[in-house]
């Protein structure tokens, strides 16, 4: 059973048997290749470069986001394209990245610090039209990666830690109207993002994604160990909450 509710300031249960610093030249090159893969998500997706974006993933890859629930990578690309067609603008700032692999060099975990930024038109507090608002959410994108028979690294699962967010009026002279009753029950780590995606953009937002602490946080670290240990896919997917359709 996972250790529940890792306290603030205490380390989560880190995977054992991994290499995340130094090592052989091959191990260093593996980590660089995985980092390149991780950084491909924000750079290719934001540019709508769908072919190289799809090349980051296995055929059976499964991804989670706030607004697309859990789905296959091909379904995610489909709904992402539709979002762009509909005028949605989701961008990402790409920050630091850490990578660890198992000793065999067959599986790894990449964690990429990012900021999701999405622009919305909120109703104005003064009742005069709408207010452009950038919602920004600080995250860690997590990539469960595997080395294929041809020696390429590919992502099999993608899930995110949502750590904290905020809503920023583009014009500081205009104030958006936010419904406190709708905001209050939303997950703290992505409450403004969830509010805007659900009540402004009309998406059904997934409410049980990992945050900076909590049960889903600890379950993610359990999944890290299972993945590194090459546990059966059914075990990893159960812990990650994957329900394939």
């Amino acid at each position: 059973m996972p250790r529940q509710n890792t306290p603030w300031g205490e380390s989560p249960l880190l995977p054992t048997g991994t290499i995340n610093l130094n090592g052989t030249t091959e191990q260093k090159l593996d980590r660089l290749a995985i980092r390149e893969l991780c950084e491909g998500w924000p750079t290719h997706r934001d540019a709508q470069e769908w072919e190289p974006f799809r090349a980051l993933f296995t055929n059976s890859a499964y991804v989670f986001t706030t607004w697309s629930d859990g789905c296959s990578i091909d379904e995610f690309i489909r709904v992402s394209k539709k979002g762009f067609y509909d005028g949605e603008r989701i961008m990402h700032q790409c920050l630091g990245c850490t990578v660890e692999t198992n000793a065999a060099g067959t599986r790894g975990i990449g964690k990429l610090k990012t900021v999701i930024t999405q622009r919305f038109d909120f109703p104005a507090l003064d009742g005069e039209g709408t207010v452009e608002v950038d919602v920004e959410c600080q995250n860690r994108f997590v990539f469960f990666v595997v080395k294929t028979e041809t020696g390429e690294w590919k992502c099999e699962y993608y899930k995110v830690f949502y750590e904290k967010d905020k809503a920023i009026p583009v014009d500081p002279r205009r104030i958006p109207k936010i419904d406190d009753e709708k905001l209050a029950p939303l997950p703290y780590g992505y409450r403004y993002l969830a509010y805007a995606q659900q009540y402004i953009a009309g998406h059904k937002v997934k409410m049980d994604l990992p945050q900076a602490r909590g049960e889903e946080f600890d379950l993610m670290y359990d999944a890290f160990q299972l993945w590194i240990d090459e546990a059966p896919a059914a075990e990893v997917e159960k812990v990650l909450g994957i329900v394939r359709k």
Side-chain angles (χ1 to χ4, degrees):
M1 294 293 291
R3 181 179 69 190
Q4 300 299 309
N5 298 320
T6 300
W8 286 96
E10 294 295 329
S11 174
L13 291 175
L14 299 174
T16 59
T18 63
I19 300 149
N20 62 7
L21 186 67
N22 296 321
T24 66
T25 298
E26 182 178 2
Q27 289 166 340
K28 294 173 186 176
L29 290 173
D30 277 337
R31 295 200 302 274
L32 283 173
I34 294 168
R35 177 169 184 163
E36 182 178 52
L37 182 158
C38 295
E39 293 177 349
W41 173 289
T43 51
H44 291 312
R45 188 199 173 279
D46 289 1
Q48 300 155 70
E49 298 170 346
W50 301 118
E51 184 175 346
F53 180 75
R54 180 62 181 85
L56 304 172
F57 299 89
T58 66
N59 290 334
S60 57
Y62 198 93
V63 305
F64 289 89
T65 68
T66 53
W67 60 277
S68 64
D69 203 350
C71 61
S72 71
I73 183 58
D74 294 306
E75 174 65 8
F76 176 76
I77 291 173
R78 185 192 71 79
V79 297
S80 293
K81 286 181 177 180
K82 182 179 184 303
F84 277 110
Y85 294 148
D86 292 343
E88 295 181 0
R89 296 295 180 263
I90 305 175
M91 299 293 172
H92 303 83
Q93 299 172 33
C94 182
L95 306 174
C97 185
T98 60
V99 177
E100 54 196 311
T101 62
N102 61 8
T106 55
R107 290 194 177 186
I109 300 288
K111 298 193 285 285
L112 179 68
K113 290 283 288 184
T114 67
V115 177
I116 296 172
T117 176
Q118 185 171 359
R119 183 159 293 183
F120 301 90
D121 289 325
F122 277 66
L125 184 63
D126 60 13
E128 307 232 346
T130 59
V131 177
E132 281 191 313
V133 175
D134 281 342
V135 176
E136 294 189 353
C137 184
Q138 295 184 22
N139 325 268
R140 284 186 294 157
F141 286 6
V142 180
F143 300 82
F144 295 74
V145 298
V146 60
K147 184 180 279 188
T148 68
E149 293 180 356
T150 58
E152 297 178 305
W153 286 99
K154 300 282 185 178
C155 179
E156 178 68 11
Y157 308 117
Y158 161 89
K159 205 167 185 179
V160 179
F161 291 106
Y162 297 87
E163 298 181 325
K164 66 174 183 176
D165 70 343
K166 58 187 174 183
I168 310 164
V170 175
D171 182 344
R173 299 169 300 177
R174 305 293 312 283
I175 306 300
K177 181 179 180 181
I178 296 175
D179 187 320
D180 289 335
E181 290 187 4
K182 291 179 178 178
L183 180 70
L186 299 177
Y188 182 82
Y190 55 106
R191 59 180 172 169
Y192 293 105
L193 185 62
Y195 180 95
Q197 289 180 339
Q198 183 147 304
Y199 298 116
I200 305 296
H203 292 291
K204 182 180 179 181
V205 171
K206 189 169 177 58
M207 298 296 179
D208 60 352
L209 293 168
Q211 299 180 64
R213 282 293 186 269
E215 181 179 358
E216 294 298 327
F217 171 93
D218 289 309
L219 286 170
M220 278 279 276
Y221 277 89
D222 289 344
F224 295 168
Q225 188 68 66
L226 289 170
W227 180 250
I228 288 295
D229 290 343
E230 302 192 28
E235 291 185 32
V236 181
E237 294 188 4
K238 181 178 180 181
V239 174
L240 287 174
I242 291 174
V243 180
R244 294 189 181 268
K245 300 170 185 175

